[in-house]
Amino acid sequence: MSDEESTFKKIFKDWRVMVMMALIIFSLLSIYVIPPAFDKGIEGNLQLGLDLQGGSWIQISFQSEVARFSSDNMSASEVAEALSNEIGADVIVVSNDQVEIRKYYTEEELRQIFNDIGVKMVSYEQGVSKDTAEDIKRILEDKVNNLGTQDAKINTLSGINDVTSYIRVELAGTDINTAQDLVSSQGKFEIRIITEGNKTEHVLYGDSVTSVSTPSQSPAGSQNWGVGFTLDEVGAEAFREAAIKYGAVDDPKNHNLVMLLDGNVVYSAPLSDTLANKLMSGTVRDLSASTGTGEDALEEAQLLEIHLRAGALPVDVSIAGSGSVPAELGEYFKIVCIVAAILALIAVGITIYFRYREPSIVLPMMLTNVSEIIILLGIARYIQQLDLASIAGLIAVIGTGIDQLVVITDEVLHEGKVPSPNVYLKRFKRALGIITVSACTTIFAMLPLAMMDLSTLKGFAIITILGVLVGVIITRPAYGKIIMAILSKKPSK
């Protein structure tokens, strides 16, 4: 067996190297094969943010405020009840001395209202409590996910007092008008029935809708798109009574069912003959709203599904800011990022070559660095959207990764020679100790940014932390074994 064959055998039989190779293969499969994405270009299945794909962002504020109060004779629940009766709006207890008023008032107006009920207002902050913000975020996530917008980011922007003032929604691949319509919609869903002329009567609200199916063609095999939904018992009874009372079961064509979102009609159609006959004999809980045939009908069905599912936001919102990145600019940013990453790798390769002037050292370093980036992208494909800040994190990982490989190489080599195996392993463990301490400091420094909802900074921090963990746990130990096997042919010290 030749020296080269023996060296390769040593490398690929080591379990650390086998783990690294397995993760590289898994990452490539995740990016390009699961599911197949060869037609999507170099990015494959990676989730690209609006910086790289084009899209829109919306920042919304809340018509609500959180106030802290002081009272000697009223509890928080009593204060909330008194305020609700005074202003005719929902008031939620946040803590023993804090309430959330779900209606907009200036600080002066609200202070006077507190005085009217005999309570002193201590502080005022426009926004919502942390729990309400999470509810709003969940509802918005339901909306964008049901639209099929996978590349969406929703971040709450909160202060140190846990009052959320804004929510920022980023929708990659979505134009600004669609984004505004989707985000600003209050989701207050209602079904009414036409009585005479253009007059309508209330039938039920969205809280009677218990489940909604995805758009489908019904009956199976037809070209007719529709959305199925289910009513609770109360809603089904109200639906039947209204259909009979206003003549929809006898004359469906002149008594359309009208669905409204925030007072705007989102769907209008008569009862089918089959449904009208069923309602004559009893309640019907499983219904379907037909939108017609073709691509436009499918889009209408998708939007109707969102309206049926979303429910009502707990507070009114307004758009505080918005913007968009054209698709052409996103494509330009994508090319720039690829070029920047390639140039970074080339610069790193030249630097370490001039340091060691030994291809048997430079090549394993560069391959290990590239392997680390591939593994990192494979992990990020499942958990992190890639925007400009995330790409900056990837490029930073290239530099910090080489730094740590240099530490390992300098530690195990002495005067350009490889020591005996025992001495090598001691020096290698010492180098890993140094790298681990350095990695911990980086992780601790990035954790605050990763945990805060600071939009782009969060992506940078997450990618940096992932890169450090992949390096310390996987690629650094593998590199140590690779470099030991390759350089063991050199004369020992």
Side-chain angles (χ1 to χ4, degrees):
M1 183 181 292
S2 65
D3 289 344
E4 287 75 11
E5 290 175 344
S6 177
T7 300
F8 279 107
K9 188 174 181 180
K10 287 180 182 178
I11 292 174
F12 290 105
K13 285 186 68 175
D14 187 89
W15 68 269
R16 300 167 187 82
V17 178
M18 292 172 64
V19 169
M20 185 176 74
M21 294 299 297
L23 286 173
I24 292 172
I25 294 172
F26 172 76
S27 297
L28 291 173
L29 290 175
S30 297
I31 296 171
Y32 295 109
V33 181
I34 312 174
F38 299 104
D39 59 330
K40 296 181 180 178
I42 192 172
E43 69 267 21
N45 288 313
L46 295 174
Q47 301 180 53
L48 301 183
L50 63 88
D51 291 338
L52 303 179
Q53 190 175 337
S56 307
W57 63 269
I58 304 287
Q59 187 160 302
I60 59 176
S61 60
F62 309 106
Q63 302 302 299
S64 175
E65 44 280 335
V66 176
R68 194 176 297 276
F69 65 89
S70 174
S71 176
D72 296 330
N73 55 6
M74 295 178 69
S75 66
S77 58
E78 291 172 335
V79 170
E81 184 178 359
L83 283 172
S84 180
N85 293 333
E86 182 74 16
I87 63 178
D90 291 337
V91 179
I92 307 300
V93 175
V94 178
S95 65
N96 291 333
D97 63 346
Q98 207 172 22
V99 292
E100 175 185 288
I101 297 95
R102 293 180 172 179
K103 187 176 181 180
Y104 177 71
Y105 289 98
T106 65
E107 183 173 0
E108 293 75 17
E109 291 172 338
L110 197 57
R111 192 176 298 278
Q112 182 59 51
I113 293 171
F114 270 89
N115 290 336
D116 291 342
I117 65 171
V119 177
K120 179 182 178 182
M121 189 178 80
V122 176
S123 65
Y124 168 97
E125 186 86 21
Q126 186 175 357
V128 295
S129 64
K130 184 177 180 180
D131 289 341
T132 300
E134 288 301 317
D135 288 341
I136 294 173
K137 181 178 178 180
R138 174 183 54 79
I139 293 170
L140 292 175
E141 285 174 342
D142 287 342
K143 286 187 176 184
V144 298
N145 289 336
N146 289 329
L147 185 63
T149 307
Q150 296 180 351
D151 300 330
K153 292 171 65 177
I154 300 177
N155 295 305
T156 56
L157 306 179
S158 305
I160 58 175
N161 53 1
D162 280 340
V163 175
T164 301
S165 301
Y166 301 97
I167 282 184
R168 180 182 172 95
V169 182
E170 297 180 1
L171 299 170
T174 303
D175 64 85
I176 189 67
N177 291 329
T178 302
Q180 287 180 340
D181 290 342
L182 180 65
V183 173
S184 63
S185 168
Q186 297 300 293
K188 294 179 180 177
F189 185 80
E190 182 185 11
I191 295 180
R192 299 179 71 87
I193 190 169
I194 293 179
T195 55
E196 296 180 1
N198 292 324
K199 294 181 180 180
T200 62
E201 290 291 336
H202 169 75
V203 179
L204 55 87
Y205 288 111
D207 56 4
S208 293
V209 179
T210 58
S211 65
V212 183
S213 65
T214 57
S216 61
Q217 293 175 317
S218 180
S222 72
Q223 300 298 313
N224 193 51
W225 288 100
V227 180
F229 60 100
T230 304
L231 302 178
D232 60 18
E233 291 291 350
V234 175
E237 185 61 36
F239 179 75
R240 178 174 183 266
E241 289 178 358
I244 294 174
K245 179 179 179 180
Y246 299 113
V249 293
D250 298 319
D251 185 15
K253 292 183 179 179
N254 291 319
H255 298 280
N256 279 17
L257 284 180
V258 182
M259 300 182 184
L260 302 98
L261 187 70
D262 295 333
N264 297 317
V265 176
V266 295
Y267 178 83
S268 178
L271 300 181
S272 67
D273 293 337
T274 301
L275 178 57
N277 291 331
K278 288 182 179 179
L279 289 173
M280 291 294 291
S281 57
T283 59
V284 178
R285 294 186 59 188
D286 295 322
L287 303 173
S288 179
S290 177
T291 57
T293 61
E295 290 297 322
D296 291 340
L298 173 59
E299 292 181 7
E300 185 180 349
Q302 290 172 333
L303 288 175
L304 182 57
E305 179 195 3
I306 294 171
H307 301 327
L308 285 165
R309 285 181 184 272
L313 292 178
V315 299
D316 291 337
V317 298
S318 61
I319 295 178
S322 62
S324 62
V325 177
E328 296 79 8
L329 186 58
E331 191 68 26
Y332 170 75
F333 286 153
K334 190 189 304 180
I335 295 173
V336 169
C337 289
I338 294 172
V339 172
I342 293 173
L343 290 177
L345 284 170
I346 293 173
V348 165
I350 292 173
T351 302
I352 60 175
Y353 180 80
F354 276 103
R355 177 175 178 81
Y356 296 107
R357 298 184 182 276
E358 179 58 64
S360 60
I361 294 177
V362 175
L363 189 58
M365 273 191 177
M366 294 303 299
L367 290 177
T368 301
N369 208 217
V370 172
S371 300
E372 185 175 330
I373 297 301
I374 293 173
I375 294 171
L376 185 54
L377 288 173
I379 296 173
R381 173 256 187 273
Y382 294 101
I383 65 174
Q384 177 61 36
Q385 191 181 85
L386 296 179
D387 51 20
L388 290 179
S390 300
I391 299 298
L394 285 172
I395 295 174
V397 166
I398 294 175
T400 57
I402 286 294
D403 286 345
Q404 294 176 358
L405 297 180
V406 167
V407 169
I408 292 175
T409 307
D410 286 353
E411 186 68 25
V412 300
L413 291 179
H414 180 67
E415 296 180 355
K417 299 178 181 179
V418 179
S420 63
N422 288 336
V423 175
Y424 179 96
L425 289 175
K426 288 181 180 179
R427 292 180 177 178
F428 179 52
K429 289 179 180 178
R430 185 165 59 196
L432 284 181
I434 296 171
I435 290 170
T436 301
V437 172
S438 174
C440 288
T441 59
T442 301
I443 291 173
F444 290 143
M446 291 291 107
L447 271 178
L449 292 179
M451 296 175 67
M452 294 179 182
D453 288 323
L454 296 178
S455 190
T456 54
L457 292 179
K458 185 174 182 178
F460 174 82
I462 290 174
I463 290 296
T464 302
I465 291 173
L466 285 176
V468 169
L469 291 175
V470 169
V472 172
I473 298 173
I474 300 166
T475 57
R476 307 293 177 265
Y479 170 78
K481 293 300 179 178
I482 292 172
I483 203 71
M484 180 181 182
I486 290 176
L487 299 184
S488 61
K489 295 181 294 184
K490 285 179 167 288
S492 298
K493 181 182 173 182

